[in-house]
Amino acid sequence: MKPASMSDYRERARRRLPPMFFEYIDGGSYAEETLRRNVRDLESIALRQRVMRDMSKVDLSTTLFGQTLAMPVALAPVGMAGMYASRGEVQAARAAAGAGIPFCLSTVGVCSIEEVAAAGTPPWFQLYMLKDRGYMRELIARARDAGCPVLVFTVDLPVPGARYRDVRSGFTGLSGIPAALNTVWQGATHPAWSWDLFAHGRPHTLGNVQAAVGGGRRVNDFLGWIARNFDRSVTWKDLDFVRETWDGPIVIKGVLDPDDARDAVRAGAQGLVVSNHGGRQLDGVSSSIAALPRIADAVGGDLELLMDGGVRSGLDVLKALALGARACLVGRPWAWALGAGGEPMVSRMLGVLRSELTTAMILTGCAQAASASTELLDVAAP
């Protein structure tokens, strides 16, 4: 059966990937209420169907930070994508380039900035504020030298949220022989994934932080270094440090509160991602789509506004545009598609997303994605 919806890609990924990697993609923090809320709140928004309008021409394109996007979507940073398919970040970046949209590379990607940039279009680069400021400076310089056009600075992870699925699957909480046996068993029971990853996907390190970790050889060695280097003392003043090395657009990712959004504007950010980290940090907070209108009212005219969290269709993208976003970052759907079958599946998934968005625009009478507004929403719907 060919995958038709995002849930189909999810199911294919669930079957193909070892549980420890599928649950890492799929799960949220604590009871996962925010993870569910992200999806549920988007589903509850009703579009306003319109008829008898000339929709022979529909324009999905938009402009962000001087780049023209074929549709208002970018691939969000997803950690360790190179463990879902061989050299996964490169495969996803090629699919994004083929669809005419940006790919954002995670700090904790298996493939390095240089490897992804060499494969085609230089990615946006996502960065955490680390205690090791010297290594941060090196990472920013590498992103600049590789031609990365945008720096996405994630601010909602001073400490990782409690992710129970990762403990249950053995992704975290195990060490030594138990950890090794768990990995071997899960790999042996998923032979197609193992062949792809171990025959074609080496090395299994985190390319952007390899030099800092030194002798680390396993993914968990790198994750331990990252966890120890999250900086709880970071403030808006620390953006001055980033600006010393980076002179391109800075996008702040992980804001849910209008006051924080105003602080981002005052700190000189050019973009903002309304995000709760996909429900992977503080559980019980607002969904991204619920927070979006408040932030759009507060700062929508001062910077480029994006949203991520819960987007599962092109209809969801249109709803976010109607509520003030210029574009959506999509995370889990591309990770599921990559885990389901690599670059071809990511390309197919993006085609589905584009088709769904086109149909939604036609049936709501929206000829241009860039001009979407609340006029597209049925505010009287229950």
Side-chain angles (χ1 to χ4, degrees), residues 32-45 256 274-280 285-291 307-312 316 332:
E32 300 188 346
E33 176 55 34
T34 296
L35 172 62
R36 291 188 293 272
R37 189 176 290 164
N38 277 344
V39 176
R40 186 173 64 238
D41 286 359
L42 270 165
E43 290 176 340
S44 70
I45 296 171
L256 290 176
V274 180
S275 172
N276 51 40
H277 216 97
R280 295 166 68 81
V285 298
S286 169
S287 67
S288 297
I289 196 66
M307 190 209 81
D308 81 355
V311 175
R312 300 292 183 266
D316 292 339
R332 284 186 179 88

Side-chain angles (χ1 to χ4, degrees), residues 243-320:
R243 275 282 179 219
E244 292 174 7
T245 306
W246 182 263
D247 57 6
I250 293 178
V251 176
I252 304 298
K253 181 178 183 291
V255 172
L256 290 176
D257 188 277
D259 287 340
D260 287 338
R262 294 184 186 98
D263 285 338
V265 172
R266 285 190 284 267
Q270 286 72 49
L272 185 73
V273 184
V274 180
S275 172
N276 51 40
H277 216 97
R280 295 166 68 81
Q281 281 299 97
L282 180 60
D283 199 23
V285 298
S286 169
S287 67
S288 297
I289 196 66
L292 175 60
R294 299 191 296 268
I295 292 177
D297 288 343
V299 302
D302 299 321
L303 40 61
E304 303 281 20
L305 199 59
L306 300 91
M307 190 209 81
D308 81 355
V311 175
R312 300 292 183 266
S313 71
L315 283 72
D316 292 339
V317 173
L318 187 60
K319 292 172 184 179

Side-chain angles (χ1 to χ4, degrees), residues 5 56 78 86 106 141 146 173 177 190 206 213 225 252 281 311 331 358 367:
S5 67
S56 55
V78 173
S86 58
S106 170
I177 292 176
H190 294 79
L206 301 186
V213 177
W225 181 88
I252 304 298
Q281 281 299 97
V311 175
T358 301

Side-chain angles (χ1 to χ4, degrees), residues 354-379:
R354 182 181 181 88
S355 177
E356 291 172 341
L357 176 58
T358 301
T359 299
M361 289 174 61
I362 292 171
L363 295 179
T364 57
C366 178
Q368 294 183 312
S371 63
S373 71
T374 53
E375 289 293 315
L376 302 179
L377 305 180
D378 187 348
V379 294

